[in-house]
Each structure stands twice: as C-alpha cells, then as structure tokens.
Amino acid sequence: MKTKLLFIALLTLGFSSVQVQSQTTVYAKNSDISDNLDLRAVASIFGESANLQDFERRLNDPKYQISNLDLNGDDQVDYLRVIESVEDRTHVVIIQAVLDRDVYQDIATIDVERDNSNRVVVQVVGNTYLYGANYIYEPVYNVTPVIYSSFWVTNYRPYCSTWGWNYYPTYYSVWRPFPIYRYRNNINVYINVNNHYNYVNTRRSYRAPVMYESRRTYGYETRRPDYSFAQRHSNVSNRYDLDQRRVASRETGRNQNYSTNRSNTGRVSTTDNRTAPNRNYAENRTSTDRSYNTNRSASSNRNSASTGSNPTVNNPVRVENTPRTETRRDYSQNNGNVSRGNSQDNVNTNRNVTPQRTETPRSYSENRGNSESRGNSARTQNTQRSEAPRVSQESRSSQPQRENSAGGRSAGGRRG
C-alpha cells in the first residue's frame, strides 16, 4: 500500500513539473524571435572583449545572460558559439546557436574591416531569417577596443569554437528563458551608453557577404521554412521598422488615452456633487431655523397665555427666506428689549430698531409689557387693600388703649 501511494505521489509531482515547464515556455515566447537577442548588446560586449574567445565567454556567461534565445524549444537558452572567416584585412565573425548535435543556426555576423588608412569599421548584421533584410548596427566606440590588436598579427589563425552540443565550458550553465520585458530590463544594464550604435541599411564591405556565404548554416530555417521574418511581418522590412512601428503605436495609444482622460474628466460632475450637498445643507439649515423660530414663538405664546396675557399673540413668525443671522439678531433684540423694559417706551424703542419683518415679535413685547404693567398695578392695589385693614385694625386697637388711658386719667383725677 505504501509503495502505491509513493508511486502516485511521484507521478503527481512529475505532471505538475511538466505543466510548469510548458507554461514557462509559452510565456517566454509571446513576442517576436528577434526580441530575444539585442544586437546593440552584442556590439557592446564585442568592444569590451580581449579576443574572440573572451567574446564567446561573455555571450554565454550566466552572470550576464546576454542571450534569451530558445530556438529548439527545450526550455533552455541555446548556447552561442563563435567561428571566424578571414581574408586579407576583412574578418567575418559568425555567431551560431547550437540546436542539436551538428545542427546550428546563424544568428548574426560581425564584419570587421580595416582600410588603407588603418581605420577600422565594425558592423553587426542580423540574420535575414530572424531580423529581416539589412538590419545592421554600426557601433562607434568611445575607446578603441583591445580586440582590434588581436586581429592583425603575424600568423593569425581564424578562431573556431571547440564547444558543441552537450559539450560546454565549465563556466557555462543552462538557464530558462525570461519573459521579454524582463530580458529587456536585464540587457539594458549591459549596453555601454558611452558608445554610439548607429543603424544603417547597407554593408560597407563587399567581401564580407561573399565570405559569409561559404560558412553559412541554417538548421532552424530548414525546420521552419515558413516562419521567416518576412512571413511573420509582411508590412515591415526588418526589425528596425518593427521597432519604429511599435513606438508609433505606443505613442498613438498614449495620446488617445490622454485625450480620452481629458475629455472624460469629472470636473462638472464633481462640481455638481459638491454644490448639491451644500445647497441641501443650506436649505436644511434654513428650514431648521424656520421651525426653530416657529416653535419658539409658539412656546412663547403658550407661556404668555398661561400667565394671563392677551391671547391674541398666537400668530406664528412669518415664513420667509431670511438668513439665519438676521432671525437670531431679531430674536435676541426682542428678548433683550423684553428683559430690559417693562414700560411702553422700551417697546417703542424696539419698534424703531426692528424692521417690518419683526412685527409679530413687537406685539409680543408690547403684550409682555402691558401684562407686566397690569400685574404691577394689580399688585399695588392688593398691597393697598391689605394695608388698609391693617390701619383700621391698628386704629381700632388703639381706641381702647386711648379709652383705657382716658379712664385711668379720669379715675386718677377722681382719686386725687
């Protein structure tokens, strides 16, 4: 039983690893083949190499990862070998991908030629099948490369790589191809920005094409004859035109998105949304002030009715669109006038100060003044009435005392 479970677990792990590998391969090949090897990076490391052997090492060093090509589809970046063809002052360096045993595919060539004035011209030419026709970069190095001195020496022997399928140098180890965007970010680090890489569409050397034809290999082309650059992109001539069209399409899409965003801005809607809540808030505040004033006037009328004042002061405050500050000012003035004055003069003062809108509060102050004056007069009358009996009582009580005193006088007179 344990053996069966272990066998099932191993099968599950095997299927999962196969699925992951297939997904990675598809994800890495979602663009054109020519995107997987930047010829400007090739030209940059060529100018930094000491010789062709060092140049081959830099091409395949896992630390640099200059190449991202996987032409045989084994989910491993292909090893790039370097061979050379020499004739007089012309050197043709050929870069080939190792696809299988004795199966190679040319990727690019580097034409190095020195003229009669000892001026060296270098051109990196992309393979027509991969990059299209006449895709050429001509680097202009800031410092004269050291590799030039190794080409024109006595008894020079052309370089030919000894490495091949499953036979690689010790520094080399395979790695999986990256997605295109990651490869571009990585390769930009290894392009020397102090140099200039000029695009041209003609080869300067007339010997180099002839020399290349004698050493040409095309193992990948024979496997996929209908997948050349001209068939993949019928509307452009080479990789340079493809890049220009990509840039133009990105700029067009960026401008369209910018204009769409500018036309679809939410300024109007934002203004409406901001204005509407403020307007509603003001209306609510106004209605609240109105209801507040109405309730205060109604409660004041009830209080005055309960204290015995004139019942005609039950009219509510006018419902007008008056600001909150004016309503509160009138109300405070009315309260201050009522508390300060209990006479008709203060009421007249309130009439002069308050506008026509505050007629009802003015009647309220008059009633309060009248009611208080009436209350004061009634209190004085009651006081006088209560004091009158006291006087009569005092007079009555004083009369017997007078009589007693009179009797005492009379009695004393009689006694005396």
Side-chain angles (χ1 to χ4, degrees):
M1 187 64 183
K2 293 182 180 180
T3 305
K4 292 182 179 179
L5 292 175
L6 181 61
F7 181 71
I8 294 172
L10 292 175
L11 287 177
T12 305
L13 291 174
F15 283 122
S16 62
S17 63
V18 169
Q19 290 177 358
V20 170
Q21 290 180 359
S22 61
Q23 290 176 359
T24 305
T25 303
V26 173
Y27 186 58
K29 296 181 179 180
N30 58 356
S31 187
D32 191 70
I33 303 174
S34 58
D35 292 330
N36 293 282
L37 182 62
D38 195 327
L39 297 187
R40 295 175 301 171
V42 173
S44 180
I45 65 172
F46 180 79
E48 296 173 356
S49 303
N51 48 45
L52 291 181
Q53 184 178 1
D54 184 34
F55 175 62
E56 182 177 357
R57 183 186 64 81
R58 290 173 182 266
L59 278 177
N60 298 281
D61 196 336
K63 181 175 63 176
Y64 301 138
Q65 296 179 347
I66 299 298
S67 174
N68 198 52
L69 287 170
D70 181 18
L71 298 181
N72 56 4
D74 60 351
D75 197 29
Q76 294 178 359
V77 174
D78 301 329
Y79 183 85
L80 301 180
R81 76 169 191 166
V82 175
I83 61 174
E84 184 185 17
S85 178
V86 180
E87 184 177 338
D88 294 336
R89 296 183 178 183
T90 304
H91 294 247
V92 177
V93 181
I94 304 173
I95 303 173
Q96 297 176 342
V98 180
L99 305 182
D100 205 341
R101 187 177 300 277
D102 298 331
V103 179
Y104 309 101
Q105 170 63 44
D106 293 344
I107 306 299
T109 61
I110 302 176
D111 299 343
V112 183
E113 189 174 53
R114 186 176 65 175
D115 56 14
N116 294 328
S117 58
N118 292 329
R119 180 174 176 268
V120 180
V121 177
V122 177
Q123 288 186 325
V124 182
V125 184
N127 181 264
T128 304
Y129 181 88
L130 299 177
Y131 295 92
N134 299 322
Y135 182 65
I136 305 170
Y137 273 107
E138 187 174 290
V140 179
Y141 298 106
N142 186 33
V143 179
T144 303
V146 180
I147 196 173
Y148 289 174
S149 61
S150 65
F151 287 148
W152 293 278
V153 294
T154 306
N155 298 325
Y156 179 80
R157 297 181 59 182
Y159 179 79
C160 183
S161 176
T162 58
W163 311 110
W165 179 255
N166 288 335
Y167 183 66
Y168 305 118
T170 56
Y171 64 83
Y172 176 75
S173 61
V174 297
W175 67 90
R176 291 182 179 180
F178 295 113
I180 296 301
Y181 73 94
R182 285 190 58 189
Y183 172 72
R184 289 173 180 171
N185 295 334
N186 174 70
I187 205 64
N188 288 331
V189 179
Y190 299 102
I191 297 177
N192 192 343
V193 296
N194 296 321
N195 303 327
H196 296 280
Y197 309 95
N198 302 322
Y199 170 76
V200 295
N201 54 11
T202 56
R203 299 179 90 168
R204 292 180 177 269
S205 176
Y206 65 91
R207 291 182 179 180
V210 178
M211 296 167 58
Y212 169 67
E213 289 295 330
S214 61
R215 305 293 299 269
R216 183 172 178 267
T217 56
Y218 39 86
Y220 185 72
E221 298 179 27
T222 56
R223 293 182 178 182
R224 306 187 66 175
D226 298 331
Y227 199 62
S228 64
F229 187 91
Q231 293 172 335
R232 296 195 308 269
H233 307 283
S234 59
N235 53 351
V236 294
S237 60
N238 56 21
R239 168 64 191 275
Y240 182 80
D241 293 339
L242 178 62
D243 290 338
Q244 297 299 317
R245 179 159 298 193
R246 287 174 177 176
V247 172
S249 63
R250 283 197 297 267
E251 293 294 333
T252 303
R254 187 180 303 168
N255 293 331
Q256 291 178 355
N257 293 331
Y258 179 75
S259 60
T260 303
N261 294 329
R262 292 281 296 179
S263 61
N264 294 330
T265 53
R267 292 180 180 176
V268 177
S269 60
T270 304
T271 304
D272 295 338
N273 293 329
R274 290 179 180 176
T275 305
N278 292 331
R279 186 173 61 250
N280 295 330
Y281 177 72
E283 292 176 356
N284 293 329
R285 292 292 296 272
T286 304
S287 61
T288 304
D289 294 338
R290 292 172 184 169
S291 61
Y292 175 75
N293 293 330
T294 305
N295 295 328
R296 289 298 296 266
S297 62
S299 62
S300 300
N301 293 331
R302 293 192 188 96
N303 295 329
S304 61
S306 62
T307 56
S309 60
N310 191 0
T312 61
V313 195
N314 291 326
N315 294 325
V317 180
R318 291 183 182 180
V319 180
E320 295 181 358
N321 292 328
T322 58
R324 181 180 177 184
T325 56
E326 294 181 1
T327 304
R328 294 197 174 195
R329 187 177 61 219
D330 295 337
Y331 177 74
S332 62
Q333 289 176 358
N334 292 330
N335 290 335
N337 293 329
V338 172
S339 63
R340 285 197 303 269
N342 293 324
S343 62
Q344 188 65 28
D345 295 335
N346 292 331
V347 176
N348 293 328
T349 303
N350 291 331
R351 290 180 182 176
N352 295 327
V353 174
T354 56
Q356 294 178 0
R357 295 179 180 175
T358 58
E359 291 178 358
T360 301
R362 186 172 64 244
S363 60
Y364 168 71
S365 62
E366 290 176 359
N367 293 326
R368 290 292 298 271
N370 293 329
S371 61
E372 290 180 2
S373 61
R374 289 177 185 176
N376 293 330
S377 61
R379 291 174 183 174
T380 54
Q381 289 177 5
N382 293 328
T383 305
Q384 291 174 2
R385 289 177 185 176
S386 61
E387 290 177 355
R390 293 178 183 176
V391 173
S392 62
Q393 290 176 2
E394 290 176 356
S395 62
R396 289 177 185 177
S397 60
S398 61
Q399 287 177 3
Q401 293 177 358
R402 290 177 183 176
E403 290 178 357
N404 293 328
S405 63
R409 291 184 192 138
S410 62
R414 289 177 183 178
R415 289 177 186 176

